[in-house]
């Protein structure tokens, strides 16, 4: 007999049960997606500081102890001061290296929904040096003025919004007191900030180097020059920032998302399993009737699986219809005004949720197959 079993009949005739399962699936998918959007603020927000800024600017400090034991090319037998001078001269001679200056630094902080990142910015001695730095990094002054006196700083507009700062405020008053005053706001895709020192209040001192991306691997340069970097040395270059990003953002967020997804989907899977076992028991007579009038078990199985695909498919689509507009609203109404960088569209996560849906569907085949295996025709129901 040609199969004409409709998968829609059960859905249409059992609207309450189908709606309950669809709602559970839709809310589960939507919640996981929204949580993912919130967690990804740590990735989206820190990406400019960790992956883009170090393509233009690096910081380093090498101790005298390291230089003393290192065989620096061109100054193998020199003292630490001579070796450092050779390193600086070699760097300055490279095409794409614009400036190297010993400076004090401060740290600008950016808060995400989960976590905070602090990035060094230099304190130059003159307004002219600050102008050159802003030109090199592509930052534009949009409000206020450039620093012209000790303790004056200009801060990235995104950092100012994120940290609830205004022009005229004291920069990080909790850490430095009334030492550094914000006199300007700069617009920068790299979240650039810069200022002038005020005596010896700072977050450290380093050589700051302005370069192009081709020179952004300082660690490789020092190794090539014979410098044996140790625990007392600091190199903030592109490879170091990429490693921080991989460990502290990508991998950490991925682990959190996978854990949350696994927990939520475990409970969804268990709930759906219980629900399907229940309705399969209630439909034993229906399935027996189908086999009694000539339908094969495979045809009944196909109908049941189509029912499941309909319910899961509708649940998934409704979940995404709920999740994506909610993510856009969350971004525009909450995250953007708070200075938290975010995105609302993650096709990779949608594909992952679809994979999870298929995994649960695969698990639900077990009770379906067991029920169909035990199924009898009407004339054998009493056996």
């Amino acid at each position: 007999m040609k199969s004409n079993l409709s998968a829609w009949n059960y859905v249409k005739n059992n609207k309450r049960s189908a709606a309950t399962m669809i709602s559970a699936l839709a809310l589960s998918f939507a919640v996981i997606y929204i949580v993912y959007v919130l967690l990804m603020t740590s990735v989206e927000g820190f990406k400019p500081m960790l992956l883009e800024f170090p393509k233009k600017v690096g910081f380093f400090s090498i101790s005298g102890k390291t230089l003393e034991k290192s065989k620096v090319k061109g100054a193998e037998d020199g003292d630490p001061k001579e070796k450092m001078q050779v390193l600086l001269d070699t760097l300055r001679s490279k095409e794409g290296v614009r400036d190297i200056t010993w400076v004090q630094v401060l740290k600008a902080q950016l808060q995400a929904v989960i976590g905070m990142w602090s990035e060094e910015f230099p304190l130059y001695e003159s307004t002219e040096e600050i102008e050159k730095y802003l030109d090199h990094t592509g930052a534009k002054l949009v409000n206020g003025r450039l620093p012209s006196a000790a303790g004056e700083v200009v801060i990235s507009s995104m950092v100012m919004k994120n940290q609830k700062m205004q022009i005229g405020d004291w920069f990080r008053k909790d850490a430095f007191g009334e030492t550094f005053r914000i006199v300007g706001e700069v617009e920068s895709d790299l979240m650039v900030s810069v200022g002038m020192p005020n005596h010896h209040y700072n977050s450290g001192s380093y050589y700051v180097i302005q370069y192009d991306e081709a020179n952004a691997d300082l660690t490789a340069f020092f190794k090539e020059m014979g410098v044996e970097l140790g625990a007392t040395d600091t190199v903030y270059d592109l490879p170091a920032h990429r490693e921080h990003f991989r460990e502290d953002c990508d991998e950490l967020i991925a682990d959190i998302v996978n854990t949350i997804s696994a927990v939520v989907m475990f409970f969804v899977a268990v709930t759906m399993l219980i629900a399907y076992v229940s309705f399969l028991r209630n439909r034993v007579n229906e399935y027996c009737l189908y086999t009694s009038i000539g339908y094969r078990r495979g045809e009944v199985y196909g109908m049941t699986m189509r029912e499941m695909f309909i319910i899961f498919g509708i649940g998934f689509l409704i979940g995404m219809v709920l999740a994506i507009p909610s993510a856009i609203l969350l971004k525009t109404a909450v995250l953007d005004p708070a200075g938290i960088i975010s995105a609302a569209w993650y096709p990779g996560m949608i594909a992952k949720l679809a994979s999870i849906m298929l995994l649960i569907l695969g698990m639900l085949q077990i009770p379906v197959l067991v029920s169909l295996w035990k199924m009898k025709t009407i004339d054998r129901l009493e056996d």
Side-chain angles (χ1 to χ4, degrees):
M1 176 182 291
K2 183 178 178 181
S3 176
N4 59 358
L5 291 175
S6 173
W8 280 103
N9 289 336
Y10 175 80
V11 177
K12 290 187 293 185
N13 297 330
N14 297 270
K15 293 183 177 66
R16 180 175 297 180
S17 298
T20 300
M21 289 186 283
I22 289 171
S23 300
L25 288 167
L27 289 175
S28 298
F29 290 136
V31 167
I32 292 176
Y33 190 84
I34 294 299
V35 170
Y36 183 76
V37 168
L38 291 173
L39 290 174
M40 284 297 288
T41 59
S42 297
V43 174
E44 301 294 341
F46 302 157
K47 192 181 294 183
M49 287 182 167
L50 288 166
L51 298 185
E52 300 303 324
F53 176 73
K55 293 178 181 178
K56 291 281 190 177
V57 179
F59 298 87
F60 66 90
S61 174
I62 302 176
S63 69
K65 184 177 180 181
T66 294
L67 291 170
E68 187 174 347
K69 69 179 182 180
S70 298
K71 296 292 185 180
V72 176
K73 290 181 181 180
E76 289 82 353
D77 299 322
D79 60 29
K81 186 176 180 180
E82 292 172 335
K83 292 177 180 179
M84 177 55 74
Q85 190 60 51
V86 168
L87 292 172
L88 295 176
D89 290 343
T90 305
L91 276 171
R92 290 188 177 112
S93 68
K94 285 180 169 290
E95 184 180 355
V97 174
R98 183 169 181 177
D99 181 72
I100 306 175
T101 307
W102 180 260
V103 297
Q104 299 178 55
V105 302
L106 295 178
K107 290 187 176 182
Q109 297 176 323
L110 190 75
Q111 180 71 53
V113 173
I114 295 180
M116 174 183 286
W117 184 260
S118 299
E119 187 64 44
E120 287 79 9
F121 67 86
L123 301 175
Y124 286 105
E125 295 290 344
S126 69
T127 303
E128 182 182 0
E129 289 177 293
I130 290 173
E131 289 175 339
K132 290 180 179 179
Y133 180 78
L134 294 177
D135 178 65
H136 173 71
T137 55
K140 304 294 183 184
L141 182 71
V142 292
N143 282 310
R145 59 177 177 83
L146 292 178
S148 59
E152 294 182 345
V153 297
V154 290
I155 305 298
S156 160
S157 57
M158 184 59 70
V159 172
M160 289 182 67
K161 186 187 294 185
N162 184 271
Q163 296 295 305
K164 307 296 186 292
M165 297 174 178
Q166 295 181 343
I167 293 176
D169 290 349
W170 296 104
F171 177 76
R172 294 189 60 188
K173 186 177 180 180
D174 58 331
F176 299 106
E178 297 181 355
T179 305
F180 297 99
R181 186 180 290 279
I182 301 172
V183 298
E185 176 184 352
V186 292
E187 192 71 41
S188 167
D189 293 336
L190 309 182
M191 298 189 191
V192 168
S193 299
V194 65
M196 287 186 166
N198 191 351
H199 299 291
H200 297 290
Y201 295 96
N202 58 61
S203 299
S205 295
Y206 304 95
Y207 283 103
V208 57
I209 175 171
Q210 301 174 31
Y211 49 39
D212 58 17
E213 188 176 351
N215 295 288
D217 191 344
L218 295 175
T219 304
F221 166 78
F222 290 130
K223 184 177 180 180
E224 181 185 342
M225 290 294 293
V227 179
E228 301 175 12
L229 296 173
T232 58
D233 308 308
T234 300
V235 179
Y236 296 140
D237 59 358
L238 183 57
H241 280 79
R242 281 175 173 169
E243 184 65 18
H244 281 305
F245 183 80
R246 184 183 65 81
E247 292 181 352
D248 300 335
C249 296
D250 261 2
E251 292 184 356
L252 179 62
I253 296 302
D255 290 342
I256 294 174
V257 169
N258 289 337
T259 300
I260 292 175
S261 299
V263 171
V264 173
M265 284 301 120
F266 171 78
F267 286 106
V268 171
V270 171
T271 302
M272 297 301 292
L273 186 63
I274 294 172
Y276 263 89
V277 168
S278 176
F279 92 76
L280 285 172
R281 287 175 178 172
N282 294 334
R283 300 178 69 188
V284 169
N285 291 341
E286 176 190 345
Y287 292 157
C288 289
L289 178 61
Y290 289 144
T291 56
S292 297
I293 60 177
Y295 288 104
R296 298 188 303 272
R297 282 184 171 85
E299 293 173 311
V300 179
Y301 168 77
M303 177 197 69
T304 306
M305 290 307 300
R306 290 195 296 274
E307 291 172 357
M308 293 168 64
F309 270 107
I310 290 171
I311 290 172
F312 273 75
I314 294 174
F316 180 77
L317 291 175
I318 293 176
M320 292 302 97
V321 168
L322 291 173
I324 294 173
S326 297
I328 294 172
L329 180 62
L330 179 67
K331 172 180 168 60
T332 55
V334 179
L335 299 177
D336 286 352
I340 297 176
I341 300 175
S342 63
W345 174 244
Y346 291 101
M349 188 58 187
I350 295 175
K352 185 174 183 177
L353 289 173
S355 299
I356 292 174
M357 179 189 75
L358 293 175
L359 177 62
I360 296 176
L361 272 170
M363 294 171 57
L364 291 177
Q365 289 189 65
I366 298 173
V368 172
L369 291 170
V370 170
S371 297
L372 293 177
W373 180 261
K374 295 181 178 180
M375 188 172 59
K376 301 176 182 179
T377 56
I378 291 177
D379 59 317
R380 297 187 61 189
L381 281 178
E382 300 299 328
D383 294 348

